[in-house]
Amino acid sequence: MSESISRNTIIGQYSIVSLLGEGGMGEVYRARDTKLGRDVAIKVLPAAFSADAERLRRFEQEAQAAGALNHPNILVIFHIGTHDGAPYIVSELLEGETLRERMAGVALPQRKAIDYALQIAHGLAAAHAKGIVHRDLKPENLFVTNDGRVKILDFGLAKLTGTGDGNQSQTEIPTRKVNTDPGVVMGTMGYMSPEQLKGQQADHRSDLFSFGAILYEMLSGQRAFRSDSMAETMSAILREDPPDLSESNKTVSPALERVVRHCLEKSPEERFHSARDLAFAIESLSGTTTSSGQTVTIATLPAFRPHTRERLGWIVASVLLLALLTAIPFIVSYFRRAPSEMSVVRFSVFPPEKTSFDSFAVSPDGHRLAFTAAAEGKRELWVRPLGSLAAQALPGTEDARNPFWSPDSRYIGFFAGGKLKKIEATGGSAITVCDVLLESRGGAWSRDGVIVFAPQVRGSLYQVSANGGAPTPVTTLDESHQESTHRWPCFLPDGRHFIYFAGSLQSEGRAVYLGSLDGKETKRLLSADASAEYATSAEGGYLIFEHERKLMAQPFDASRFQIIGEPFPIADQVSGAGLGQSHSDVSVSASGVLSYRSDGGSTAQLAWFDRAGKSLGTVGPPGEYSFFALSPDEKRVALTRIDPQTGTSDIWVVDLSQGAPVRLTFDPANDDGPVWSPDGSRIVFDSNRAGHYDFYQKLASGGGNDEALLQSSDWKFAPDWSSDGRYIVYVVNDPKNRGDLWILPLFGERKPMPFLQTKFFERGAKFSPDVRWIAYHSDESGKYEVYVQSFPPSGGKWQISPGGGTNPQWRRDGKEIYYWAGNRLMAVEVKAGASFESGVSRALFEARVPGSFGLDYAVTHDGQRFLITNPVAGAAATPITVVINWMADLKK
């Protein structure tokens, strides 16, 4: 077959490599993205067909429909354009094979078929939520990647419909409704629904019919409607039921066959109401292995959503009945065993390849684990069904932190980009609930749709409706106990009361408290250095918390809000709370699933790299480090070091010629963010020893006392000292303006003055060497970008990062600025004097930066070496331990 477009032809920014295939809707090529350096797929409508108005319309519709979707089970569209009069679509390049090729006329194992079916259902649910119906679902349009992910392809026959609730589709790009003319058949024979064959109105339930035909084929190895001629096939779809699956596959469970039958109902009204309900029914089918090694197919029931309860009642009843009949012999055998034989299942969940875990939460129904993980410097929210070996990243969750679940396990709440957001666990668009500050500290979701959360590092808890609105305070800091923060809430079963951690400058003041939504009840429950989770069992409730690297359980009466017994260990060597977190790495579900992370030891190492990313050696021993700064003479490093036992931090100094760190501060509070004076004699840092973060300074030699430099009720962070020694620029966390930049003059009255006050979050400010400019990053564009503004401010401002950036640094001569773009260290040449000019940003190298330590770095005066926090080898592979039926061990 000759190629219509020759090799090395340039289409936009893409260079053609080879022809991959062709079909009725166009030719598909492998191409190279010359700008981003990645391989892509390009689908081009041949010029000979571009004169066909209908074919062109359908091709454009495919672009519109697919471009509106953003889901892990749908092909990702990168770009749409025109080449020599022919339109083309650029998408991700998939490695694997179509479902047709994967089946090859042979039935798939039932577990594999269920896995694929669930992924397809999730993808369809996302498309239908956007008002998009595929209308040509078939094995050829389903692609199975090498890592087992199913992708839905070819929306060339997609039909934009309403969302089903009477409102318009929420697709964010311009779309148009395309109605099929009466009597026109659209689709592929053998997988079309009866209404499609009749040329009638086809909605999302037509896709469910096609889905049923595909699932039937995966389970049987044969087509659901197979006849010798097209006319006979059409007649079978309209009038006949396919043969029982049990005729070709004796191992198919009756419950699964009922799901298939329900999809293949002739009347749309008798099928599943939505793809989401279909996914729910499939998820209810999970294989559970008995202690004897036998497998029983049972129904595990997630919490019902109100709008599906009645609709799925008969399905659930049928599944339960079938499961009960199947499981009776094993249930009888189970209860004949001695109590000591009750089994607890433990297994490890490792992070996806080339990622590292950050925060995690198990769903209330115990079916899924949500976690945040960083891959190539990009942190996203992931979801892994505990019955699966694969996890899926949720698009649109960049920079996600601290996930928590809705009570029905349908939504995941998380924090990202200064927002509290929520997203469906199956994917879709993330929805903003309200604004928060960047460093939020946890949330909890009540059964009545109220979210309690910590909007910032310091301060009280707030509450807000899960549907959005203005947050209001729900707790009040106790100044008599020097409380500085309330964080990590967890609701109790009544949905009105919650527990939370209260941080204090007094060691005896740190504790877990009881709170209530009306704000009227506050009760100290137990002393603790980190948060607690509530778990319930048939024997009662427990508070689960970490203490000295052991996971403890303490009996707790949630009706009387009282501790009723002594704590006892349930796991050893669990990961403790890190700097500024006070949060144990533990999560527990209402269904008896416990998850925690084991102690991985020291995870960070300071290391030198050259401009090409070549490692030049390490600095000091491994440890838990945060902010650090290189001395002006480049002979010492001041850094924030975290005490793994207490979780508090102090300033240490490392002499680069010796490598041994020496402690500089000894206060029991948190001392962070060291900055050198221009002459290298002193170090300024921020500390919360007075109940809020203030600035202190101390001789770099370690002599003398800590001297207060700036004290006020504001929360102040991240100072930078001008090279002339006259100014300090810093961030003030303002609940209204989020994060503003202020200047502290070190002469005259030393009265602080605002530099930049906006409704956006500005931070990471650095003076230029000539003190005429300040570089910083801000989220005013919707994501963080690096800007430069004149100092004192005169109105001039330049954006120097074209596609996202944080944490700028200047070269000593002022001719270059560096910043992070994801995990890539970028450099841009600048001319900064009386006026400012910037060149084109370019990537120097990629770095493996631990997600929990931020993206701090230091650069030498000549811009040739960079000091970066590098993860210790093997630390990223620390797994999450999952324990099912963990409470069965309590009787032992």
Side-chain angles (χ1 to χ4, degrees):
M1 181 183 300
S2 62
E3 298 184 7
S4 300
I5 301 178
S6 60
R7 179 182 175 86
N8 297 326
T9 298
I10 300 297
I11 299 180
Q13 67 187 54
Y14 311 98
S15 176
I16 297 297
V17 176
S18 61
L19 179 68
L20 294 177
E22 57 185 341
M25 290 304 298
E27 298 171 338
V28 181
Y29 296 87
R30 186 188 191 102
R32 184 71 174 172
D33 187 329
T34 58
K35 289 188 177 180
L36 298 180
R38 63 183 176 187
D39 288 341
V40 298
I42 296 183
K43 187 170 187 177
V44 181
L45 187 63
F49 294 152
S50 60
D52 186 332
E54 175 60 16
R55 190 180 296 268
L56 182 59
R57 179 190 64 77
R58 287 166 57 191
F59 187 87
E60 290 174 345
Q61 172 126 352
E62 176 180 354
Q64 288 183 342
L69 302 173
N70 186 8
H71 190 274
N73 296 121
I74 297 174
L75 182 73
V76 177
I77 301 298
F78 296 140
H79 179 70
I80 301 170
T82 303
H83 174 70
D84 290 342
Y88 66 87
I89 299 175
V90 182
S91 69
E92 61 180 321
L93 181 65
L94 303 178
E95 300 290 344
E97 58 188 345
T98 66
L99 181 60
R100 172 70 67 208
E101 295 167 330
R102 177 63 59 92
M103 292 190 296
V106 178
L108 299 178
Q110 180 170 305
R111 287 184 179 271
K112 184 63 67 177
I114 291 176
D115 179 25
Y116 291 169
L118 186 57
Q119 293 188 59
I120 299 167
H122 286 161
L124 287 177
H128 294 169
K130 287 283 190 178
I132 298 172
V133 181
H134 193 286
R135 295 199 297 168
D136 194 22
L137 205 63
K138 56 186 176 183
E140 290 80 1
N141 284 338
L142 297 168
F143 196 91
V144 184
T145 64
N146 290 336
D147 61 358
R149 179 173 296 185
V150 180
K151 293 273 190 174
I152 303 176
L153 316 177
D154 198 352
F155 279 83
L157 293 177
K159 176 181 180 181
L160 300 182
T161 70
T163 57
D165 57 3
N167 299 320
Q168 291 184 343
S169 169
Q170 298 302 307
T171 301
E172 295 178 355
I173 64 169
T175 59
R176 65 176 184 273
K177 290 191 177 183
V178 180
N179 295 315
T180 305
D181 294 333
V184 176
V185 175
M186 302 289 284
T188 299
M189 190 59 61
Y191 301 94
M192 286 190 291
S193 65
E195 58 269 26
Q196 284 178 288
L197 289 177
K198 296 175 183 179
Q200 296 174 347
Q201 187 79 9
D203 60 15
H204 62 278
R205 292 169 296 183
S206 295
D207 284 349
L208 303 188
F209 185 93
S210 303
F211 173 95
I214 294 169
L215 181 53
Y216 182 98
E217 192 168 344
M218 285 195 289
L219 294 169
S220 68
Q222 301 174 1
R223 296 198 180 196
F225 304 100
R226 51 189 187 275
S227 300
D228 295 334
S229 67
M230 181 179 296
E232 290 174 332
T233 300
M234 293 177 65
S235 177
I237 292 174
L238 292 171
R239 300 178 179 85
E240 301 173 11
D241 291 328
D244 292 340
L245 281 169
S246 57
E247 294 182 8
S248 54
N249 189 342
K250 302 293 185 182
T251 64
V252 173
S253 70
L256 182 57
E257 183 162 10
R258 289 185 66 86
V259 171
V260 176
R261 293 288 182 187
H262 194 41
C263 290
L264 293 177
E265 294 287 355
K266 306 300 182 185
S267 172
E269 289 77 15
E270 296 179 5
R271 299 174 203 147
F272 286 99
H273 183 80
S274 68
R276 191 174 306 283
D277 290 348
L278 170 60
F280 176 87
I282 296 173
E283 281 187 310
S284 296
L285 306 171
S286 62
T288 299
T289 304
T290 67
S291 59
S292 61
Q294 297 166 300
T295 299
V296 184
T297 300
I298 65 172
T300 56
L301 301 177
F304 282 102
R305 299 187 299 274
H307 70 279
T308 63
R309 188 181 299 271
E310 295 179 1
R311 190 182 308 134
L312 292 180
W314 72 271
I315 300 174
V316 174
S318 301
V319 171
L320 282 172
L321 178 59
L322 289 167
L324 180 61
L325 292 175
T326 308
I328 282 176
F330 305 101
I331 294 173
V332 173
S333 174
Y334 178 85
F335 282 104
R336 284 178 178 174
R337 287 178 281 170
S340 61
E341 293 183 304
M342 293 181 64
S343 60
V344 177
V345 179
R346 291 181 174 86
F347 58 92
S348 296
V349 174
F350 285 85
E353 186 177 1
K354 298 181 179 179
T355 71
S356 57
F357 282 133
D358 189 9
S359 48
F360 61 94
V362 65
S363 61
D365 61 17
H367 289 180
R368 299 184 182 97
L369 185 71
F371 59 88
T372 56
E376 299 180 349
K378 178 183 178 182
R379 182 187 291 103
E380 290 182 293
L381 180 62
W382 296 65
V383 175
R384 170 176 161 167
L386 292 180
S388 171
L389 296 177
Q392 293 186 343
L394 300 183
T397 61
E398 289 75 13
D399 199 33
R401 295 176 185 269
N402 302 326
F404 59 95
W405 289 85
S406 63
D408 60 4
S409 300
R410 177 181 176 185
Y411 284 94
I412 304 171
F414 64 97
F415 302 89
K419 309 284 185 183
L420 168 59
K421 300 183 177 183
K422 65 179 181 180
I423 190 172
E424 292 199 51
T426 55
S429 299
I431 302 170
T432 296
V433 177
C434 66
D435 290 338
V436 297
L437 291 176
L438 187 64
E439 301 295 336
S440 303
R441 290 294 183 265
W445 196 321
S446 81
R447 65 189 186 189
D448 296 321
V450 176
I451 294 176
V452 171
F453 66 101
Q456 57 184 329
V457 175
R458 306 297 170 185
S460 61
L461 293 173
Y462 281 67
Q463 62 177 314
V464 67
S465 168
N467 295 322
T472 58
V474 69
T475 63
T476 303
L477 296 179
D478 186 345
E479 296 183 358
S480 66
H481 290 134
Q482 290 187 284
E483 288 183 354
S484 60
T485 177
H486 292 167
R487 54 179 64 175
W488 310 118
C490 174
F491 272 104
L492 296 178
D494 66 1
R496 300 296 300 171
H497 293 82
F498 54 88
I499 58 175
Y500 63 92
F501 174 77
S504 170
L505 298 180
Q506 304 172 347
S507 58
E508 64 273 14
R510 293 191 286 269
V512 173
Y513 279 79
L514 171 78
S516 61
L517 290 180
D518 59 15
K520 296 180 179 180
E521 291 185 74
T522 300
K523 180 179 180 180
R524 182 187 177 101
L525 298 178
L526 58 89
S527 297
D529 290 321
S531 60
E533 295 274 314
Y534 175 79
T536 186
S537 72
E539 289 76 26
Y542 297 89
L543 296 182
I544 310 297
F545 57 96
E546 177 266 332
H547 178 67
E548 296 181 350
R549 294 300 195 258
K550 291 182 180 293
L551 197 60
M552 311 294 290
Q554 187 155 17
F556 178 71
D557 187 335
S559 61
R560 295 184 296 159
F561 314 121
Q562 291 182 354
I563 299 289
I564 55 175
E566 295 298 319
F568 53 90
I570 56 177
D572 292 326
Q573 299 302 312
V574 299
S575 178
L579 172 64
Q581 296 289 325
S582 304
H583 181 49
S584 303
D585 280 343
V586 59
S587 177
V588 61
S589 78
S591 59
V593 176
L594 172 71
S595 61
Y596 62 90
R597 187 158 49 182
S598 299
D599 186 3
S602 297
T603 58
Q605 173 74 68
L606 294 182
W608 284 109
F609 294 86
D610 65 14
R611 289 178 70 94
K614 180 182 177 181
S615 177
L616 302 177
T618 60
V619 173
E624 294 188 58
Y625 302 124
S626 182
F627 307 101
F628 56 91
L630 190 63
S631 65
D633 62 6
E634 300 179 2
K635 294 181 179 180
R636 293 167 293 173
V637 174
L639 52 85
T640 301
R641 189 177 188 184
I642 306 160
D643 186 330
Q645 298 300 319
T646 66
T648 59
S649 61
D650 281 287
I651 307 301
W652 294 64
V653 175
V654 179
D655 188 316
L656 296 182
S657 64
Q658 299 177 2
V662 177
R663 187 170 177 177
L664 187 72
T665 64
F666 296 86
D667 193 274
N670 284 324
D671 299 331
D672 304 322
V675 174
W676 294 86
S677 64
D679 62 3
S681 65
R682 290 163 291 163
I683 293 176
V684 166
F685 56 93
D686 47 65
S687 174
N688 65 348
R689 61 187 65 178
H692 42 73
Y693 274 98
D694 294 318
F695 294 140
Y696 296 79
Q697 63 177 340
K698 188 170 186 177
L699 293 175
S701 63
N705 297 321
D706 302 354
E707 177 189 349
L709 186 63
L710 175 62
Q711 291 181 304
S712 66
S713 59
D714 297 320
W715 295 89
K716 301 167 290 296
F717 302 93
D720 184 54
W721 205 326
S722 65
S723 61
D724 60 6
R726 290 170 58 82
Y727 303 98
I728 285 179
V729 60
Y730 59 96
V731 177
V732 172
N733 277 1
D734 187 321
K736 296 181 179 179
N737 291 344
R738 301 174 64 202
D740 295 329
L741 298 182
W742 283 67
I743 301 293
L744 173 66
L746 298 179
F747 55 88
E749 297 181 359
R750 295 193 174 191
K751 183 178 180 180
M753 56 185 180
F755 172 72
L756 195 59
Q757 288 181 300
T758 71
K759 63 180 180 179
F760 307 108
F761 200 110
E762 289 87 23
R763 66 183 305 173
K766 295 292 187 294
F767 282 107
S768 64
D770 61 4
V771 200
R772 290 183 172 184
W773 309 91
I774 291 179
Y776 63 95
H777 64 260
S778 170
D779 63 352
E780 64 180 84
S781 67
K783 63 179 177 180
Y784 283 114
E785 299 284 4
V786 174
Y787 299 86
V788 171
Q789 184 152 327
S790 58
F791 175 76
S794 60
K797 184 176 74 171
W798 290 261
Q799 177 180 329
I800 67 170
S801 60
T806 60
N807 294 47
Q809 299 267 15
W810 295 82
R811 198 167 74 189
R812 184 75 64 84
D813 60 8
K815 295 182 178 180
E816 202 168 36
I817 293 178
Y818 313 97
Y819 64 90
W820 287 110
N823 70 325
R824 294 180 300 164
L825 188 64
M826 310 293 291
V828 55
E829 293 183 0
V830 298
K831 294 180 180 179
S835 61
F836 182 85
E837 297 180 18
S838 65
V840 178
S841 297
R842 66 186 189 281
L844 296 182
F845 60 88
E846 294 185 355
R848 294 177 61 236
V849 182
S852 58
F853 295 97
L855 294 173
D856 203 15
Y857 66 106
V859 57
T860 56
H861 70 278
D862 57 1
Q864 296 302 308
R865 293 188 302 151
F866 300 86
L867 188 62
I868 297 174
T869 309
N870 208 39
V872 174
T878 303
I880 294 172
T881 299
V882 177
V883 186
I884 297 176
N885 196 27
W886 69 273
M887 286 172 287
D889 270 346
L890 297 183
K891 293 183 178 180
K892 302 178 184 180

